[in-house]
């Protein structure tokens, strides 16, 4: 006589199926969180980029028109003032003292400095050519850092740190923005990267 043993299968309990569904649905929250994190990170970098752009653009505008902040009213570039004469002429220490004195007030130095401020500011604000902006900005910040070692009377500059002052911090931020492609969010970085000349020359990115 055949004995039929119960199989103990329950139609309402599908543990393997439940686990598959759980495994399948598991990555979705992780992917969503990862997307949100990337979006938040991109927005943070984009905000830093725009703020840095304003730093350079404001310096250009103030030195050009003499708004009365860093540049006194009536002493702007359009009024005949020199953006480099006062700053470089007061250097009284450091290995480039004589070089900075020779540059102070020179027309080529004024134009190069002001075009650098404008170009870097526009590039950062628009989110394009960040590698070029980072290189030019780093060179500019390094020169300004050396120029501010001491003032004309021999006293230390107003920097609160003998090494890591704001010039070096700005340089590091510029490099970080370029490395993170910070122009892709809230900027024209993606459109810029599609241009044939930019695709062929990565240093323009």
């Amino acid at each position: 006589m055949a004995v039929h043993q119960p199989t103990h299968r329950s139609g309402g309990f599908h543990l393997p199926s439940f686990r598959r569904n759980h495994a399948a649905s598991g990555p979705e929250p992780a992917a969503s969180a990862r997307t949100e994190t990337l979006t938040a990170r991109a927005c943070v970098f984009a905000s830093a980029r725009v703020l840095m752009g304003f730093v350079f653009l404001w310096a250009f505008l103030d030195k050009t028109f003499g708004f009365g902040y860093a540049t006194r009213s009536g002493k702007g570039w359009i009024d005949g003032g020199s953006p480099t004469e006062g700053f470089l002429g007061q250097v009284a220490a450091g290995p480039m003292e004589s070089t900075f004195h020779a540059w102070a007030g020179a027309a080529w130095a004024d134009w190069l400095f002001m075009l650098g401020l404008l170009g870097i500011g526009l590039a950062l604000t628009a989110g394009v050519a960040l590698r070029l902006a980072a290189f030019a900005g780093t060179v500019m910040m390094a020169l300004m850092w050396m120029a501010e070692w001491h003032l004309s009377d021999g006293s230390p500059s107003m920097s609160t740190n003998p090494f890591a002052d704001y010039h070096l911090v700005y340089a590091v931020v510029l490099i970080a923005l370029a490395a993170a492609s910070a122009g892709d969010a809230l900027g024209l970085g993606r459109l810029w990267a599609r241009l044939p000349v930019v695709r062929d020359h990565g240093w323009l990115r």
Side-chain angles (χ1 to χ4, degrees):
M1 180 176 65
V3 179
H4 298 281
Q5 297 182 357
T7 59
H8 299 288
R9 293 179 181 176
S10 172
F13 184 72
H14 301 284
L15 184 58
S17 177
F18 172 77
R19 287 177 177 172
R20 283 197 300 271
N21 291 339
H22 179 71
S25 61
E28 293 180 2
S32 177
R34 185 161 52 249
T35 301
E36 292 176 0
T37 301
L38 291 174
T39 302
R41 182 170 59 190
C43 289
V44 169
F45 274 107
S47 300
R49 171 179 56 79
V50 174
L51 287 173
M52 282 296 300
F54 181 74
V55 168
F56 283 89
L57 285 179
W58 175 258
F60 170 80
L61 294 173
D62 184 62
K63 292 180 183 301
T64 299
F65 300 104
F67 289 148
Y69 286 82
T71 305
R72 288 183 297 172
S73 179
K75 297 294 184 179
W77 198 21
I78 62 171
D79 300 313
S82 170
T84 62
E85 184 175 9
F87 179 72
L88 295 180
Q90 70 179 0
V91 178
M96 295 190 64
E97 176 185 357
S98 59
T99 302
F100 285 146
H101 287 174
W103 292 356
W108 67 265
D110 289 342
W111 276 96
L112 192 61
F113 179 58
M114 295 299 283
L115 289 177
L117 290 177
L118 178 62
I120 295 169
L122 291 177
L124 290 171
T125 304
V128 301
L130 295 186
R131 294 180 182 178
L132 274 177
F135 175 77
T138 298
V139 172
M140 181 182 293
M141 290 299 105
L143 290 173
M144 293 177 69
W145 176 72
M146 287 188 286
E148 286 193 357
W149 270 346
H150 291 79
L151 302 180
S152 57
D153 60 358
S155 62
S157 69
M158 296 303 294
S159 174
T160 58
N161 190 299
F163 175 74
D165 72 345
Y166 72 95
H167 295 105
L168 296 185
V169 173
Y170 283 177
V172 172
V173 170
L174 289 173
I175 294 171
L177 293 174
S181 299
D184 292 353
L186 304 178
L188 304 176
R190 295 186 186 277
L191 294 176
W192 176 261
R194 295 193 189 109
L195 296 177
V197 65
V198 179
R199 288 200 306 265
D200 295 339
H201 303 86
W203 55 274
L204 291 173
R205 180 69 171 82

